[in-house]
Amino acid sequence: MATIFAATGCGNRHNQASYPVAPQDSTVYSCFGIEVADPYRPLENDTAAATLEWVKAENEVTRAYLDKIPFRNRIHNRLDTLNRYTRNGLPWKGNDGKYYYFANDGQHNQSVLYRMDKLDGQPEVFLDPNKLSDDGTVALTGVFQSTDGKYTAYTISRSGSDWTEIYVMDTATGTLLPDHIEWAKFTDAQWKGDGFYYSAYQAPEAGKEFSNANEFHKVYYHKLGTPQSQDKIAYEDPKQPLHFHSAAVAEDGSAIAILGGGEGIGESVILSDLRSNSGWKTMEASQDYLNQIVDIVDGTAYVLTSNGAPRNRFVAVKASSPAKENWKEIIAEDPDGGVLTSVQFAGPDHFIAVFDRDASNHAYLYSTDGKKIREIEFPTYGTASFSAGRKENDVFYSFSSFVYPSTIYSYDIASGDSKLYKTTEISDFNPEDYITEQVFYPSADGTKIPMFTVRRKDVKPDGTNPVYLYGYGGFNITLNPSFNPNRLLWLENGGIYAQANLRGGAEYGEDWHLAGTKMQKENVFNDFIAAAEYMIQNNWTKPELLTIEGGSNGGLLVGATVNKRPDLFKVAIPRVGVMDMMRYHLFTIGWNWAADYGTSEDSEEMARYLLGYSPLHNIRNDGTPYPAILVTTADHDDRVVPAHSFKYAAALQAADTGDAPKLIRIDSKAGHGAGKPIAKVVDEYADIYSFIYKNLGITPDTAE
């Protein structure tokens, strides 16, 4: 039998006295005859006293390091200024006839929901999530109005957890009703009659709310005025404990769809025409294809699907007879290689369709019979979001790019004119001082990979520029040009931001996605390494000035890439990463990632492949110098449980990887990232940038 051991402290320990000793045991487990040592298994118990003590000690070491950096406070102050700008969300018309929008004046941790009687009317606060907690750690994650507009259900998340609670209020008065749903997850509120459908799990074991595997996701129906204990199960599949289930209900009450996920790369779909009471009919039995319900109107479902189109198409099908032979294609797969990413009604007679072309958004207006009318022109590479619906001709869209915060336009369907509705300005920052370019570089197998680079216009390719390279490469997710105020600090100090569109994402459709999954996952790491090499070969930077960062699946990317090419980078920031590829599927919803990763239980071949790149299991322990590494995670992360980062950091600190610091930052009352209050975001980025600059040997010219 082969035996694979994680680093456990052998070798030179001259610089390791400052790191806390992690809880350990002698765990060794067998996987297809491969014995795998797992000495930091005790850290998987995130509520154990020994783990909590280790977390406290690690944070003390990390804080002592970061707080001594002389320019950290200046960085924090500048980031706080950059983040304190007015944010405006897209307006939409509610079922009560009023207009709603989110906004933040820059002084609040969470955006406030406003409403007004007309578009140029006087806004009033409808719901302020900042009042739901003292520290801004309760996030408003969704708002769902009943068909008649009389009631509004809203979903919240506490401390960044995926667990969702649902509350209901009287829309006119804002009075909170007694209805309260707990232990919901991956859900909205789909109204029908005097209640709504939602998706939830059984209440988890006390003390294991953020780590135990989630199983038997069910769709429930809640009738207003009744306790959750009386909610009826509308759909379940006890034979498939690891599937997700969610409902989509026609606003006119004509039909309902149940979507299933968690096993494949897409969704299964069953539909029921409620008018004929004909029971469930299968549109798609497998989870092999993307299937997104755009709308259901008069018993007809409008669906964005990859079935028969790896770059997606748009079809309509009757709920009473949804078999594939009955699908009516409205928008075909783009023959020019674009990926259809979204479609929505714009009034009763039009659709707006958004395509990705080389990872940038392009939008078009279509008639409902599928005729392309015109393109909606955007100013540069960027990302667009639309607010439109079938019942109204009002259309708004937001557009943003790397150095341009979200700007909102109104769009006239008849003329095609876009008019500025609301703009955003950042204090002491001029977007015109910067340039965004897109390059295509070869990966190890010759595949051309797109990458955006952003820099100040006066930055030249002289080999002396610090580069911040970001990547993700997984789960059919496209990295479009997007705005992040924290990135501006890096750019205004002369740094280059590079964003590589790696395989595993959705940039060029399902083939591109599959090329970075399972037994082809190594392509993603090679693509990322090639991005760094491109920046070096083209004289933009050198390894001593190169930082890599990624979160979640991107944290895995950073961890694996560092193990493969520690010589190529000076600093690495793996954030909330999937670091134990042998056991990831055993925690919360980790099993849902099997379609992308495969699992160690699939086969010996798959187990060996995963073990070959798993960040935890491939840390070198032979004196090879590693870059400075700051691992980040959070105590309420129930997406990628903190045990991944705990075990990885413990093994990293125990191994002989040179003198550069290997620290872990463990946030409290925070989760995987969504809904994080601005104050916590600023604190985290202040630590990250301070760590980066210190280890690059650069003092940033940061304004007070």
Side-chain angles (χ1 to χ4, degrees):
M1 293 183 181
T3 303
I4 311 297
F5 289 96
T8 57
C10 302
N12 185 359
R13 304 180 60 88
H14 71 279
N15 68 321
Q16 296 168 22
S18 60
Y19 297 130
V21 177
Q24 299 182 52
D25 64 18
S26 57
T27 297
V28 177
Y29 61 95
S30 181
C31 186
F32 293 102
I34 311 164
E35 290 193 351
V36 185
D38 194 10
Y40 299 109
R41 178 73 64 87
L43 289 172
E44 292 182 0
N45 187 350
D46 57 351
T47 60
T51 301
L52 295 174
E53 187 62 32
W54 177 82
V55 167
K56 179 182 177 183
E58 287 286 353
N59 272 338
E60 288 175 352
V61 168
T62 300
R63 285 261 54 91
Y65 180 93
L66 295 172
D67 291 344
K68 289 178 182 177
I69 298 174
F71 45 77
R72 184 194 177 278
N73 286 342
R74 299 203 309 274
I75 286 178
H76 184 279
N77 292 341
R78 180 56 179 154
L79 288 171
D80 191 67
T81 299
L82 289 169
N83 275 273
R84 300 300 178 180
Y85 66 95
T86 298
R87 297 160 168 83
N88 290 298
L90 286 167
W92 77 90
K93 194 169 187 179
N95 291 334
D96 62 344
K98 297 180 184 291
Y99 287 90
Y100 291 79
Y101 69 98
F102 283 96
N104 191 332
D105 61 3
Q107 304 306 309
H108 293 90
N109 278 311
Q110 304 285 348
S111 293
V112 178
L113 179 59
Y114 295 88
R115 68 176 172 184
M116 50 194 176
D117 292 329
K118 52 185 180 179
L119 283 171
D120 58 353
Q122 181 66 33
E124 64 174 355
V125 174
F126 180 66
L127 184 57
D128 184 356
N130 297 285
K131 295 182 177 179
L132 301 178
S133 65
D134 294 332
D135 55 5
T137 56
V138 172
L140 180 62
T141 56
V143 179
F144 313 94
Q145 219 167 70
S146 61
T147 304
D148 59 8
K150 187 176 180 180
Y151 301 106
T152 300
Y154 63 90
T155 55
I156 67 164
S157 165
R158 298 185 188 276
S159 301
S161 169
D162 282 336
W163 287 117
T164 297
E165 296 175 48
I166 306 176
Y167 291 86
V168 183
M169 60 195 297
D170 181 289
T171 304
T173 66
T175 302
L176 200 63
L177 276 60
D179 304 77
H180 179 208
I181 305 300
E182 296 182 287
W183 305 118
K185 188 173 273 197
F186 311 123
T187 190
D188 51 18
Q190 290 281 314
W191 286 91
K192 185 179 184 300
D194 57 356
F196 54 84
Y197 294 90
Y198 67 94
S199 304
Y201 291 103
Q202 292 293 320
E205 177 187 347
K208 300 294 182 182
E209 295 90 344
F210 305 108
S211 57
N212 275 7
N214 300 146
E215 297 180 333
F216 300 107
H217 202 227
K218 301 178 180 68
V219 177
Y220 293 87
Y221 181 79
H222 175 74
K223 184 178 180 179
L224 288 184
T226 63
Q228 183 178 1
S229 59
Q230 293 182 16
D231 291 352
K232 293 183 174 10
I233 297 174
Y235 186 83
E236 64 177 329
D237 187 352
K239 294 181 180 179
Q240 299 292 346
L242 302 185
H243 284 187
F244 301 125
H245 301 106
S246 60
V249 182
E251 193 170 9
D252 60 15
S254 61
I256 181 173
I258 298 291
L259 289 84
E263 181 180 41
I265 60 175
E267 300 84 18
S268 61
V269 183
I270 58 175
L271 292 137
S272 177
D273 189 317
L274 299 177
R275 300 167 303 179
S276 63
N277 199 26
S278 57
W280 295 112
K281 304 289 185 180
T282 300
M283 175 186 158
E284 174 58 53
S286 78
Q287 296 177 15
D288 294 339
Y289 306 101
L290 165 77
N291 290 296
Q292 293 181 356
I293 304 293
V294 170
D295 209 338
I296 305 175
V297 182
D298 194 25
T300 296
Y302 294 86
V303 186
L304 178 66
T305 182
S306 64
N307 195 326
R311 295 188 306 280
N312 305 335
R313 59 182 177 143
F314 185 54
V315 303
V317 63
K318 292 188 177 299
S320 57
S321 54
K324 188 175 179 180
E325 58 266 23
N326 298 321
W327 296 7
K328 176 186 176 183
E329 186 172 87
I330 301 174
I331 301 176
E333 183 178 40
D334 182 20
D336 298 324
V339 181
L340 181 60
T341 62
S342 71
V343 182
Q344 61 197 105
F345 273 97
D349 302 319
H350 296 89
F351 294 114
I352 291 174
V354 178
F355 291 82
D356 269 338
R357 301 186 189 283
D358 292 329
S360 188
N361 281 179
H362 296 258
Y364 302 86
L365 182 71
Y366 283 80
S367 62
T368 49
D369 62 2
K371 179 183 177 182
K372 185 189 293 184
I373 298 173
R374 70 176 78 91
E375 183 171 3
I376 302 171
E377 299 284 350
F378 300 142
T380 184
Y381 305 110
T383 301
S385 298
F386 284 82
S387 173
R390 183 175 54 86
K391 296 190 295 184
E392 302 292 337
N393 285 314
D394 294 321
V395 176
F396 296 88
Y397 68 89
S398 64
F399 181 82
S400 62
S401 192
F402 291 111
V403 295
Y404 293 96
S406 179
T407 300
I408 300 176
Y409 300 86
S410 63
Y411 179 75
D412 186 274
I413 294 174
S415 67
D417 292 337
S418 293
K419 293 183 179 179
L420 183 65
Y421 180 68
K422 288 187 178 180
T423 188
T424 302
E425 293 184 1
I426 306 294
S427 176
D428 301 323
F429 184 85
N430 183 7
E432 299 305 314
D433 293 339
Y434 299 84
I435 184 171
T436 297
E437 297 174 310
Q438 188 176 42
V439 299
F440 295 83
Y441 64 88
S443 189
D445 62 359
T447 300
K448 291 292 186 180
I449 310 298
M451 178 168 64
F452 292 105
T453 64
V454 190
R455 58 181 169 85
R456 214 170 55 201
K457 288 179 179 178
D458 62 349
V459 171
K460 305 300 180 184
D462 59 6
T464 66
N465 305 301
V467 167
Y468 192 121
L469 175 61
Y470 180 81
Y472 186 79
F475 295 97
N476 220 15
I477 293 173
T478 298
L479 290 186
N480 297 118
S482 62
F483 181 75
N484 183 336
N486 303 292
R487 189 183 301 136
L488 305 185
L489 182 137
W490 181 260
L491 295 172
E492 67 186 10
N493 278 281
I496 298 172
Y497 175 76
Q499 182 169 291
N501 294 102
L502 316 173
R503 280 175 284 186
E507 281 81 355
Y508 297 104
E510 188 54 27
D511 292 342
W512 188 261
H513 169 222
L514 293 176
T517 64
K518 293 188 175 179
M519 301 291 288
Q520 300 188 88
K521 187 66 177 177
E522 293 277 0
N523 285 336
V524 184
F525 312 138
N526 290 337
D527 292 352
F528 202 48
I529 289 168
E533 292 174 333
Y534 174 90
M535 296 301 289
I536 295 167
Q537 291 165 2
N538 285 272
N539 206 36
W540 287 109
T541 193
K542 53 188 176 183
E544 294 81 6
L545 292 172
L546 189 50
T547 296
I548 53 172
E549 189 249 301
S552 194
N553 173 72
L556 157 65
L557 170 70
V558 170
T561 303
V562 165
N563 287 337
K564 291 177 178 296
R565 289 294 306 275
D567 61 303
L568 201 54
F569 317 107
K570 186 66 172 179
V571 182
I573 314 290
R575 303 175 68 185
V576 293
V578 186
M579 300 311 212
D580 185 348
M581 296 306 297
M582 301 300 285
R583 289 174 55 78
Y584 76 84
H585 57 292
L586 302 177
F587 305 100
T588 60
I589 58 143
W591 44 263
N592 179 49
W593 314 330
D596 247 55
Y597 295 149
T599 78
S600 58
E601 297 176 2
D602 290 347
S603 66
E604 181 179 351
E605 182 184 28
M606 191 74 251
R608 289 189 180 278
Y609 191 83
L610 291 168
L611 196 58
Y613 73 76
S614 176
L616 172 65
H617 299 93
N618 290 278
I619 296 169
R620 304 191 190 194
N621 192 26
D622 57 3
T624 299
Y626 266 39
I629 299 175
L630 178 62
V631 183
T632 74
T633 187
D635 61 356
H636 279 66
D637 190 348
D638 49 357
R639 184 80 59 83
V640 180
V641 296
H644 281 280
S645 294
F646 290 177
K647 292 166 68 175
Y648 171 73
L652 194 62
Q653 291 174 351
D656 182 11
T657 58
D659 293 339
K662 316 296 187 306
L663 303 177
I664 180 168
R665 182 187 190 277
I666 306 159
D667 208 350
S668 62
K669 297 190 72 176
H672 201 57
K676 186 176 289 188
I678 290 176
K680 277 187 170 292
V681 171
V682 169
D683 285 343
E684 182 175 12
Y685 271 96
D687 287 343
I688 288 172
Y689 280 128
S690 298
F691 183 85
I692 291 171
Y693 280 122
K694 176 176 174 57
N695 285 284
L696 293 182
I698 296 173
T699 298
D701 183 19
T702 306
E704 289 287 354

